[in-house]
Amino acid sequence: MRVLEVASEATPFAKTGGLADVAGALPEALCRLGCETTLVIPAYREALAKGLPIEPTDLAFEVPIGTRRPVARILKCRLPDARGEVFLVANDDYYDRPGLYGSPDDYPDNAERYIFFSRAALELAGRQATSFDIIHCHDWQTGLVPAYQKLLYKSWPAVANAKTVMTIHNMAYQGMFWQWDMLLTGIDWQHFNWEQMEFYGQLNLLKTGLVFADAITTVSPTYAREIQQSPGGCGLEGVLAARSELLTGIVNGIDTQAWDPGNDPHIPRAYSEHDVDLGKYAARVALAARLGRAAPDARPLVAFVGRLAEQKGVELVVELISRMAGSGRAHFVVLGTGNRWYEEALQRTAASFPGTVDVVIGFDEGLAHLVQAAADITLVPSRFEPCGLTQLYAFRYGSIPVVRATGGLVDTVVDTNPDTLARGVASGFTFDAIDPMALEHALGRALDAHADRELWTRLVRHVMRQDWSWEHSGRDYVRLFERTLSRP
Ligand code: ADP
């Protein structure tokens, strides 16, 4: 099976969140399962600055964008040990900028940047000698691809018979733009209607993908149910409910090579479930040094790593720390970047509790690994969470997650209670209400469990032994692709 993966970010090239982890690892997992994969991403400045083996190709072509025809130059990269091929779409006007989408505010021409990218990806695929069976698109940035394939590229043999699959990583980001951006797409105005590309007078790129794709997936079964209702569907619940027989939830895997406490350049001492205490101690010494402290803290380390966005329940974390830091039961470490207000609130909290709360504002992949390795407990108090990777990384590094029971967190974390302990399936602590007291209660249960060394060791060993690799999820995707291909 030949699969084209189209995504706006992918590790190790460019990353703002979990989408990059998925788009980086899934193509390789599919290759291991016998597929041939081609990944297409934009050639961002930061991707080109990483010293990866990216090379020019002879391929360059004009892409119609409204009345203009900007040129897409195609670059290619073959990573060491990688089986799939990677193409990068270069156009310096669009992608030679800081960051990916613009920060703190989105770039004003993001509609044009991703209309160009989506069309260029399909033109590139259409120019290949062999045809694709599946075109797999991720999130709003690639939402136009299924529409282009059906409406404008039907006569291009390499993509004409492909089936398109649209994966939703987050319903809250839909790529909504003013209606006149429709002119840039080159798609006929007749499709700007409430059943296809329009959403309350605006152009909605995610909706476009959901309407035109042959199959839809999202990143966990629980989230697949949540988005067919309000508020999870963020206004598109009707579109999804109408196509629910085509919607599947597949939990993300994790890249077990990139996230491996047994072999991780970001942590000082390799460890496994058998010597996790030694590994964690070494990581805490290194983390203390990074935080400018002479020695590591002896208390349990409670960590939060994530985007500082409303979705992630950051205000619960701020409230929780304010309520609990005074008790001295734990040492809190937060790593994140995003909303300025949250950044400042966290920094103020850290200043109020010196020695007990450390806040690092920034995006630092290496530090994220070190924090997970050092942590005993990882907080994921999200208001909603399509899948969530942080809790899966926590498992792998022997940190026990405390999570809100929503979306993919429901599908991956089993609350600890006498029954789940007896069955050997307990893997974390969950709470329901979006309320700092509920989080505090769940964390309190986790800290009580931490004080029971035998119980804690059992929990840590169990979570570290779990297999959340792409092996399983990759198989689910292959099965879904096969089902989609077999449908008329
Ligand atoms: P989302 O995609 O919604 O941001 P996920 O849990 O799926 O959430 O994935 C988040 C990914 O981004 C993880 O790999 C996490 O380690 C990483 N990450 C988030 N914030 C930071 C940060 N400030 N520094 C380093 N890595 C981060």
Side-chain angles (χ1 to χ4, degrees):
M1 192 185 321
R2 253 190 116 214
V3 181
L4 177 74
E5 294 279 343
V6 191
S8 61
E9 55 181 276
T11 53
F13 302 95
K15 167 169 171 175
T16 66
L19 166 62
D21 291 349
V22 174
L26 175 61
E28 287 303 301
L30 293 174
C31 285
R32 287 194 293 276
L33 294 165
C35 300
E36 274 177 60
T37 64
T38 301
L39 168 68
V40 187
I41 58 169
Y44 300 109
R45 180 190 292 175
E46 76 171 61
L48 302 181
K50 288 202 167 142
L52 298 163
I54 297 174
E55 288 168 3
T57 69
D58 296 336
L59 196 54
F61 46 81
E62 293 181 345
V63 179
I65 296 292
T67 53
R68 296 183 307 111
R69 302 183 74 84
V71 172
R73 282 179 298 110
I74 303 303
L75 316 178
K76 191 168 182 172
C77 179
R78 179 76 71 166
L79 294 168
D81 304 327
R83 300 194 205 180
E85 62 182 352
V86 180
F87 287 117
L88 297 95
V89 175
N91 177 300
D92 292 348
D93 291 340
Y94 292 134
Y95 309 123
D96 184 19
R97 307 180 185 185
L100 275 59
Y101 312 119
S103 177
D105 298 321
D106 289 349
Y107 287 125
D109 58 347
N110 271 352
E112 181 169 339
R113 296 172 77 224
Y114 292 99
I115 291 169
F116 174 83
F117 172 64
S118 297
R119 193 150 183 183
L122 210 52
E123 293 252 350
L124 166 64
R127 286 160 199 263
Q128 302 299 299
T130 37
S131 58
F132 288 96
D133 302 299
I134 293 286
I135 299 177
H136 186 189
C137 312
H138 300 266
D139 277 353
W140 70 263
Q141 292 90 341
T142 59
L144 280 177
V145 172
Y148 278 140
Q149 190 252 355
K150 290 215 165 56
L151 301 175
L152 300 186
Y153 289 83
K154 273 186 297 213
S155 58
W156 292 49
V159 292
N161 295 318
K163 293 282 171 111
T164 51
V165 178
M166 187 78 224
T167 292
I168 305 160
H169 295 261
N170 197 327
M171 278 311 287
Y173 303 97
Q174 299 185 2
M176 289 231 262
F177 301 100
W178 75 323
Q179 56 174 339
W180 297 107
D181 283 332
M182 189 67 195
L183 291 170
L184 301 176
T185 66
I187 293 175
D188 195 288
W189 272 106
Q190 66 166 307
H191 299 289
F192 190 75
N193 64 65
W194 68 274
E195 286 181 304
Q196 292 184 304
M197 301 175 74
E198 187 218 326
F199 186 76
Y200 292 101
Q202 289 193 288
L203 171 64
N204 185 317
L205 298 184
L206 180 63
K207 175 176 173 179
T208 303
L210 300 177
V211 168
F212 282 92
D214 298 301
I216 303 169
T217 79
T218 189
V219 289
S220 69
T222 298
Y223 195 58
R225 284 190 294 279
E226 289 172 353
I227 59 180
Q228 293 179 58
Q229 293 163 10
S230 180
C234 301
L236 295 185
E237 52 274 3
V239 176
L240 287 162
R243 307 204 79 203
S244 70
E245 80 285 5
L246 298 175
L247 169 63
T248 316
I250 300 177
V251 170
N252 286 332
I254 58 169
D255 183 334
T256 48
Q257 277 180 350
W259 292 87
D260 178 6
N263 179 19
D264 184 335
H266 304 298
I267 67 174
R269 183 188 190 282
Y271 65 93
S272 71
E273 68 198 66
H274 303 296
D275 55 0
V276 53
D277 289 344
L278 292 174
K280 284 203 170 284
Y281 183 74
R284 289 162 78 139
V285 172
L287 180 62
R290 281 290 294 272
L291 298 172
R293 298 183 183 284
D297 198 294
R299 293 169 291 181
L301 197 162
V302 178
F304 173 93
V305 178
R307 286 184 296 117
L308 301 181
E310 191 189 3
Q311 172 198 343
K312 299 293 175 182
V314 188
E315 72 284 13
L316 298 188
V317 175
V318 173
E319 268 283 304
L320 169 86
I321 295 177
S322 307
R323 295 169 64 93
M324 272 185 81
S327 76
R329 285 189 79 189
H331 173 207
F332 293 90
V333 175
V334 175
L335 167 62
T337 178
N339 183 308
R340 187 69 46 81
W341 190 88
Y342 289 136
E343 291 181 351
E344 285 169 8
L346 283 163
Q347 279 168 325
R348 273 197 306 274
T349 314
S352 310
F353 300 101
T356 292
V357 182
D358 285 293
V359 170
V360 180
I361 300 298
F363 192 94
D364 186 331
E365 182 83 24
L367 189 55
H369 287 237
L370 183 62
V371 169
Q372 291 277 22
D376 297 296
I377 294 167
T378 298
L379 303 177
V380 194
S382 306
R383 286 169 176 269
F384 69 94
E385 193 58 77
C387 176
L389 294 172
T390 317
Q391 78 281 13
L392 304 181
Y393 298 142
F395 287 154
R396 185 113 170 109
Y397 283 69
S399 177
I400 301 297
V402 172
V403 308
R404 191 166 161 261
T406 180
L409 299 169
V410 173
D411 298 321
T412 54
V413 180
V414 179
D415 188 50
T416 300
N417 59 45
D419 171 52
T420 55
L421 275 173
R423 289 190 286 123
V425 294
S427 64
F429 296 84
T430 67
F431 65 98
D432 283 308
I434 302 176
D435 176 347
M437 273 171 13
L439 170 59
E440 184 180 359
H441 180 68
L443 177 58
R445 289 197 292 132
L447 289 169
D448 290 345
H450 183 270
D452 179 341
R453 288 316 292 166
E454 196 242 307
L455 168 64
W456 196 256
T457 305
R458 205 147 41 101
L459 270 179
V460 169
R461 290 219 169 130
H462 167 63
V463 300
M464 288 187 79
R465 270 192 226 122
Q466 294 184 97
D467 180 3
W468 292 101
S469 69
W470 271 105
E471 221 50 46
H472 306 285
S473 312
R475 264 198 204 98
D476 288 343
Y477 273 105
V478 171
R479 275 193 286 267
L480 169 97
F481 293 163
E482 283 167 352
R483 272 204 312 277
T484 308
L485 285 171
S486 69
R487 269 200 301 267

